[in-house]
Amino acid sequence: QVQLVESGGASVQTGEPLRLSCRASGISISNLCMAWYRQLPGKEREGLATIGANGLVLYQKPAKGRFTISKDRAENTLYLQMNNLTLDDTAAYICAADPSGQGVVRGAGPPCRFRNWGQGTQVTVSS
């Protein structure tokens, strides 16, 4: 059974950095397409960053230039390094995985299809 558990959420001030973690169990993340999303209550999930099975990365607009997605295969953990946080970054941050081992965001291969989701970790940014 695949489980994704996020951690690292906190209350921080504007401009501060924060690193989120998503530890996977039940599956190796080495060749998985994985992603970070965020969500506000009553709103749809917003995609932030995706790393494909081939290692190529795609960032959505809110994350470009400030966030970095990465994998630690030894720790079986996905990370999201967030810098220069703003009030608009306040949300629950959720990781997702495509268990097929084939999904990509660029290059040859099928698109990522996320079937496994974590519960989320809360990030609150204040001035």
Side-chain angles (χ1 to χ4, degrees):
Q1 182 181 357
V2 178
Q3 281 193 316
L4 303 174
V5 179
E6 301 94 337
S7 62
S11 295
V12 297
Q13 293 192 318
T14 54
E16 291 185 344
L18 194 64
R19 189 178 77 161
L20 305 181
S21 303
C22 170
R23 188 171 184 91
S25 60
I27 194 168
S28 169
I29 70 167
S30 294
N31 296 319
L32 299 189
C33 177
M34 299 189 73
W36 283 100
Y37 286 74
R38 65 187 183 189
Q39 188 170 25
L40 287 170
K43 293 195 174 182
E44 292 198 5
R45 274 188 296 237
E46 176 182 45
L48 296 172
T50 305
I51 182 166
N54 58 3
L56 296 180
V57 175
L58 180 68
Y59 292 100
Q60 276 71 44
K61 187 176 179 181
K64 282 184 178 179
R66 297 190 301 134
F67 296 178
T68 303
I69 188 171
S70 63
K71 287 182 183 177
D72 184 328
R73 289 169 173 77
E75 295 294 326
N76 214 38
T77 299
L78 180 75
Y79 294 104
L80 184 69
Q81 176 67 44
M82 304 188 294
N83 296 324
N84 195 22
L85 287 166
T86 71
L87 299 177
D88 290 339
D89 295 317
T90 295
Y93 285 71
I94 305 162
C95 67
D98 170 357
S100 73
Q102 298 178 347
V104 297
V105 294
R106 284 197 294 265
C112 303
R113 298 187 188 279
F114 300 114
R115 304 193 187 283
N116 301 103
W117 297 84
Q119 294 297 309
T121 186
Q122 179 67 33
V123 174
T124 302
V125 185
S126 60
S127 58

